[in-house]
Structures are given as C-alpha cells and as structure tokens.
Amino acid sequence: MKLTKYILLLPVFLFLLSCQKADEQIAKADALLAEIDPKRLENGIYLIIPNAGCGGCISDAENVFSQYKHKKELKAIFTAFTSKKGLKIHLAELFYSQNVIIDDGNLVSKKQLLTIYPVALWIENRKVTQVKHFSPQEADTHHQVITYLQK
C-alpha cells in the first residue's frame, strides 16, 4: 500500500523538480545577460553557441544565426572558444556583426549555462522567459526559433 502511494507521488515530485530546474536556468540566464550585454534585447532570442560539442547542433544554430542575422530580435553569444583568431576566421564577416557577442571571459561557463548544445534564450520585456537547447532531446527548438524570427 505504501509503495503504491509513493509511486503515485513520483510524477508530482518529478514535475516540481523539473520546474525548479527551469526556474534556476532562467535565473542564471538573466544574470548572464546582465553582465554580458548592457544593450539587452527588449524582446527576442539570444543564441548561445559553444565552440565545441554536438557538431550538427552547433552547425544548426550557426546556420539559423547566419540566415537571420539581419533581424534586430536576434543576437548570438559565441563562447568556449580556444582562440579568438580562430573564431574570427570561422565566423568571417559575422564576427563584426552588431548582433554578435564574443564571450571573452567565459561568462557562460561561469554562470553554469555551458553545455555541448547551443542554447536559445527567449526574451520578453528584457527578461528571460524560456531556455531551450538545440539538441536531439529538444528537436523542435530549431523550428520554434525560426517561426519566431519569421514574424
């Protein structure tokens, strides 16, 4: 009987735990943007793109940024690179875009937001409202970002 009670409570506990993790990620992302971008977007999306990790996922995020770089609602934060010169060569003209933020101080890592996957931060009224990854587990992130940018 007791075991059944605990089994029934397990989904509730897992739901609460996942909400807490999401809130924690949002708080970390807000703290990161406060430090890294004094001209924070009013509304839009930040793409945090690591130098290494899931190669296909990183290419996917870079392609989205390259395709929509002209949108004022989009900024990219490039992080965890080994060489600024190498990053400049890799990004070519994108390196000098107004929408690019170079994370020289590895703030993304210090704020514990660095993963092997690119991260999309949704902004509303200068606050982070969602944190999603370009990953196999969140395969719809790519589509959601493009849909938002096509408005």
Side-chain angles (χ1 to χ4, degrees), residues 50-65:
N51 184 55
C54 173
C57 305
I58 292 168
S59 293
D60 193 21
E62 287 176 340
N63 289 338
V64 168
F65 180 68

Side-chain angles (χ1 to χ4, degrees), residues 17-142:
L17 187 62
S18 69
C19 290
Q20 182 181 18
K21 186 175 180 182
D23 290 344
E24 189 177 302
Q25 287 251 311
I26 287 171
K28 288 177 183 178
D30 264 328
L32 167 71
L33 293 180
E35 282 188 58
I36 205 165
D37 188 14
K39 298 177 184 177
R40 187 187 293 204
L41 293 171
E42 180 73 34
N43 296 295
I45 295 175
Y46 283 86
L47 297 179
I48 300 175
I49 304 174
N51 184 55
C54 173
C57 305
I58 292 168
S59 293
D60 193 21
E62 287 176 340
N63 289 338
V64 168
F65 180 68
S66 180
Q67 185 177 356
Y68 293 96
K69 65 183 180 249
H70 62 282
K71 293 285 205 169
K72 64 180 177 154
E73 302 88 9
L74 178 65
K75 288 190 178 184
I77 301 169
F78 289 91
T79 190
F81 51 88
T82 52
S83 157
K84 195 169 185 178
K85 182 178 180 180
L87 181 65
K88 193 181 286 189
I89 291 168
H90 176 72
L91 294 178
E93 79 279 349
L94 284 179
F95 186 85
Y96 300 102
S97 171
Q98 293 179 357
N99 296 12
V100 168
I101 298 168
I102 306 299
D103 182 17
D104 286 330
N106 284 322
L107 291 173
V108 173
S109 180
K110 290 175 185 172
K111 297 291 181 188
Q112 300 173 338
L113 285 167
L114 185 63
T115 71
I116 64 167
Y117 303 111
V119 177
L121 307 176
W122 267 260
I123 310 299
E124 290 179 22
N125 299 317
R126 297 190 184 273
K127 293 285 185 194
V128 177
T129 58
Q130 287 186 69
V131 177
K132 300 198 97 184
H133 297 84
F134 279 74
S135 71
Q137 294 80 12
E138 296 181 64
D140 63 333
T141 300
H142 172 107

